[in-house]
Amino acid sequence: MIDPLDSVSAEVRRSQIRKLDCTEVCLELARALVAAKIVNQRTLLLRNHSSLPAGVAADLAKEAKNAAQADSVDAVRGHEGQAAAIYFGHFSGMFKGPLSLEFDANGRKRRPPPDPINSCLSLAYSMLTHECVAALRLARLEPSIGGFHVSRPGRPAFALDFMEPFRPLIADSVAITCFNRGELTEGHFLRTASGCSLTDAGRRSFFNALGRRMDTEVTHPVFEYRLSYRRTIVLHARMIAAWLTGDIPSLAFLTTR
């Protein structure tokens, strides 16, 4: 057996299981994750939308505030869903060219993705899930035991929880960059009766863009030093572990302006 077992891994996982059996802990986690996600969705729209309608930013700010103050996990899910409807209702406005019209007509659809933008988003979310699973394991956390997403066999529920604030910052941003810079075009996709998927050339372009994004450095608003998105994900996984073991009192996830 070759596995770098850590001396505190048992303590961390025991704390994770005990704490995430507590409704109040799951609610605190859900509030922090979803509020940060909605704030980042709002920022992405403000930065990239060509003509964001008046009131959209205010509506998202309201949903973020409501999610942070919700009194149940189901209420947090409700505010997340309302924010997602607003966000993806205006998502196509961040893209240039005719493919944005197709996404606007389809909306966000996953299985199977019907158009190039949906296809790119699905792959981006899958790769972000992979990064979050790896970071949680480095932090000695169990990816399958979540507090916001329901745990089911074969589902990395805690990774799905953890990735929420990073969806707009990494996955959505990569999709916007790829299409707006011409790194992905109609020719990089194969359309069949079973949906729309990337060609080999399209996947190469996508992974080049994803690698650049993961290596992009940002200044952390709490710690005030620069680190890449990949290192930021690992840092936040370790912060969650420290929170679950009681070493830090509260959670705060990365948001950008």
Side-chain angles (χ1 to χ4, degrees):
M1 178 179 179
I2 301 175
D3 189 346
L5 293 173
D6 190 280
S7 60
V8 300
S9 63
E11 177 190 347
V12 171
R13 291 196 180 187
R14 189 180 293 117
S15 296
Q16 178 185 358
I17 293 166
R18 288 174 174 171
K19 292 288 184 69
L20 295 183
D21 264 344
C22 176
T23 302
E24 289 76 13
V25 173
C26 291
L27 176 58
E28 185 177 350
L29 175 68
R31 285 170 173 167
L33 290 166
V34 173
K37 174 188 179 180
I38 298 172
V39 168
N40 289 332
Q41 287 175 329
R42 177 179 180 272
T43 299
L44 202 66
L45 282 174
L46 288 171
R47 283 183 179 178
N48 296 284
H49 200 287
S50 57
S51 55
L52 190 66
V56 171
D59 289 343
L60 286 172
K62 179 181 177 182
E63 293 301 330
K65 181 179 179 180
N66 289 340
Q69 298 174 348
D71 57 6
S72 71
V73 173
D74 282 340
V76 175
R77 292 190 181 106
H79 294 301
E80 181 199 28
Q82 183 61 33
I86 297 169
Y87 177 66
F88 282 111
H90 299 281
F91 192 73
S92 64
M94 294 188 283
F95 292 83
K96 302 172 184 177
L99 291 177
S100 64
L101 298 177
E102 188 177 7
F103 179 89
D104 198 33
N106 290 325
R108 173 68 184 128
K109 292 184 180 178
R110 298 179 295 166
R111 299 187 182 93
D115 58 73
I117 293 178
N118 268 302
S119 180
C120 182
L121 286 175
S122 291
L123 181 57
Y125 292 148
S126 293
M127 296 312 302
L128 181 56
T129 304
H130 163 76
E131 293 285 347
C132 290
V133 167
L136 290 173
R137 285 179 170 160
L138 284 172
R140 305 303 173 197
L141 293 163
E142 172 51 55
S144 66
I145 302 173
F148 180 55
H149 288 82
V150 177
S151 296
R152 293 199 298 261
R155 188 188 203 196
F158 206 29
L160 298 177
D161 292 353
F162 177 41
M163 70 186 281
E164 292 292 6
F166 298 103
R167 285 177 182 261
L169 296 177
I170 297 174
D172 297 352
S173 181
V174 166
I176 293 166
T177 298
C178 282
F179 286 100
N180 288 351
R181 291 184 178 178
E183 295 177 74
L184 288 178
T185 64
E186 177 70 45
H188 289 111
F189 294 87
L190 179 65
R191 296 175 184 264
T192 66
S194 59
C196 181
S197 60
L198 283 151
T199 64
D200 289 344
R203 281 191 290 272
R204 284 194 295 271
S205 294
F206 168 82
F207 283 114
N208 285 336
L210 179 62
R212 290 197 308 270
R213 188 61 177 174
M214 294 299 293
D215 290 337
T216 299
E217 292 190 347
V218 292
T219 301
H220 196 283
V222 175
F223 301 105
E224 297 184 347
Y225 58 78
R226 293 183 66 79
L227 67 171
S228 68
Y229 276 115
R230 182 171 282 109
R231 288 185 59 205
T232 299
I233 290 173
V234 173
L235 171 66
H236 278 279
R238 289 175 171 153
M239 287 174 61
I240 291 176
W243 173 69
L244 289 169
T245 56
D247 292 330
I248 60 174
S250 61
L251 284 174
F253 292 96
L254 178 66
T255 56
T256 59
R257 297 181 180 179

